[in-house]
Amino acid sequence: MADQPLAPVIRYLRKLTAPKGNIDATDAELLARFAAHREEEAFTALVHRYGPMVLAVCRRIVRDAHAAEDAFQATFLVLARKAGSLTQPELLGPWLYGVASRTARKAKIETARRNSHERRAVRVQVVEPDDECERQELRAVLDEEIQRLPERYRVPVVLCYLQGQTNAQAADCLGCSRGTVATLLARAREKLRRRLAQRGIGLSIGAALAAMAEPVNSGAVSIAFEQSIGKAAVLLAAGQTQAAGALAAQAVALAKAVCKGMRKEKLNVPQTLSACSAIKGSLACATGWRGFVR
């Protein structure tokens, strides 16, 4: 996946549709501009850059269109609150993946609670085709198992398989060699293979991970949606929570709940996390929760 021939084409197409003036800006630059000046265009550029991955994660976990959109919006509202305190901006993608996974799981639980009485009253179930249903189930299981991976394995998986970076790009981001990234990815795939086998699932992990990235490459987030989240983020950063409620009220509530949970997380980072010293500090901060936020 990381070195597949289509990757340059996909990146070029996304570059063509990126917000003007922000194509070449780094994540660190965009975060700094938003944190310092509440710059809407900078935040919208981040939504454009990471929105497809975040939306795909939310859809895989929640499997309810409206709840997935709420979780998607909430993930970026959390980013708006935390933009000024992220200590490893080069690992923003893995951090957002962690936030999106946690937010989507919370949205799934809350949606199930809201709809439980309706399911009892109306026993109607929409049945998906078996193959599509199985694919969605598999992707949800993979998300769960990726989240369970140790940081040193999870981060390269997110960078290369879910963000579409090459091994060389991931190595540059992590400050290690391309060979180290390849080794970490191989070990991550083997861990995932064993864990899925324990759950009675046997498949090609590489192909399954590649399939998970397909929604990311499709550019499923509309420009209007990106801009609406950018506006809400600016209002939220300015303390205008009621105005930010122009987005779904459930999304705002989810964002508050996730931020509250993040504040309660204790920063207990394992002492030995990676195969090389350059990765050690970075991966200790890339869980989505531990160490990444001051």
Side-chain angles (χ1 to χ4, degrees):
M1 165 62 190
D3 296 306
Q4 64 178 331
L6 287 179
V9 178
I10 293 165
R11 286 195 295 274
Y12 176 72
L13 291 175
R14 288 185 58 74
K15 183 175 180 180
L16 289 179
T17 58
K20 294 181 179 179
N22 296 310
I23 293 175
D24 298 321
T26 65
D27 291 347
E29 291 169 342
L30 294 172
L31 285 169
R33 281 159 49 186
F34 177 74
H37 308 294
R38 294 171 187 162
E39 187 178 316
E40 181 182 324
E41 287 187 1
F43 196 88
T44 301
L46 290 172
V47 177
H48 178 84
R49 190 170 291 177
Y50 292 105
M53 181 186 74
V54 170
L55 184 58
V57 173
C58 294
R59 284 175 172 170
R60 287 195 300 265
I61 294 175
V62 181
R63 296 182 64 183
D64 175 275
H66 295 297
E69 287 189 2
D70 288 344
F72 170 82
Q73 294 172 20
T75 298
F76 284 101
L77 293 183
V78 171
L79 176 60
R81 287 182 176 272
K82 301 293 183 181
S85 58
L86 303 186
T87 60
Q88 296 285 333
E90 69 273 17
L91 297 178
L92 178 60
W95 185 83
L96 280 171
Y97 177 82
V99 175
S101 297
R102 182 166 180 166
T103 304
R105 287 195 298 271
K106 184 177 287 292
K108 184 176 182 178
I109 292 171
E110 293 183 0
T111 299
R113 288 174 179 169
R114 287 198 307 269
N115 295 338
S116 60
H117 67 284
E118 296 178 8
R119 286 198 295 269
R120 292 193 195 100
V122 183
R123 298 179 179 272
V124 177
Q125 183 179 5
V126 177
V127 179
E128 303 175 34
D130 289 343
D131 55 346
E132 180 59 27
C133 183
E134 289 176 1
R135 281 195 294 269
Q136 291 189 17
E137 289 285 357
L138 175 59
R139 290 173 180 177
V141 169
L142 271 174
D143 276 312
E144 180 182 334
E145 293 298 345
I146 289 172
Q147 278 296 97
R148 292 179 59 199
L149 285 173
E151 289 90 338
R152 59 178 170 179
Y153 301 124
R154 183 192 316 141
V155 173
V157 166
V158 174
L159 291 175
C160 293
Y161 285 104
L162 302 185
Q163 288 184 232
Q165 291 190 14
T166 64
N167 288 6
Q169 290 171 326
D172 184 62
C173 178
L174 296 172
C176 66
S177 70
R178 181 175 179 176
T180 298
V181 171
T183 297
L184 293 173
L185 287 173
R187 292 176 180 173
R189 290 194 299 269
E190 178 58 22
K191 286 182 177 292
L192 289 171
R193 186 195 65 76
R194 288 201 303 265
R195 288 179 177 179
L196 290 178
Q198 291 172 357
R199 301 175 70 157
I201 301 173
L203 78 169
S204 167
I205 295 299
L209 288 170
M212 290 179 71
E214 290 174 2
V216 178
N217 299 332
S218 66
V221 184
S222 70
I223 294 176
F225 203 16
E226 292 174 356
Q227 292 174 341
S228 68
I229 295 175
K231 293 180 186 298
V234 171
L235 295 172
L236 192 64
Q240 301 180 40
T241 54
Q242 291 183 342
L247 293 177
Q250 184 63 22
V252 177
L254 271 173
K256 290 180 179 178
V258 171
C259 284
K260 184 178 179 180
M262 291 173 71
R263 286 194 296 270
K264 291 181 178 179
E265 289 281 345
K266 295 185 178 180
L267 308 182
N268 295 325
V269 182
Q271 294 301 309
T272 54
L273 290 177
S274 75
C276 70
S277 59
I279 294 182
K280 184 174 181 179
S282 297
L283 296 191
C285 302
T287 63
W289 315 107
R290 304 187 181 98
F292 195 54
V293 181
R294 287 194 293 265

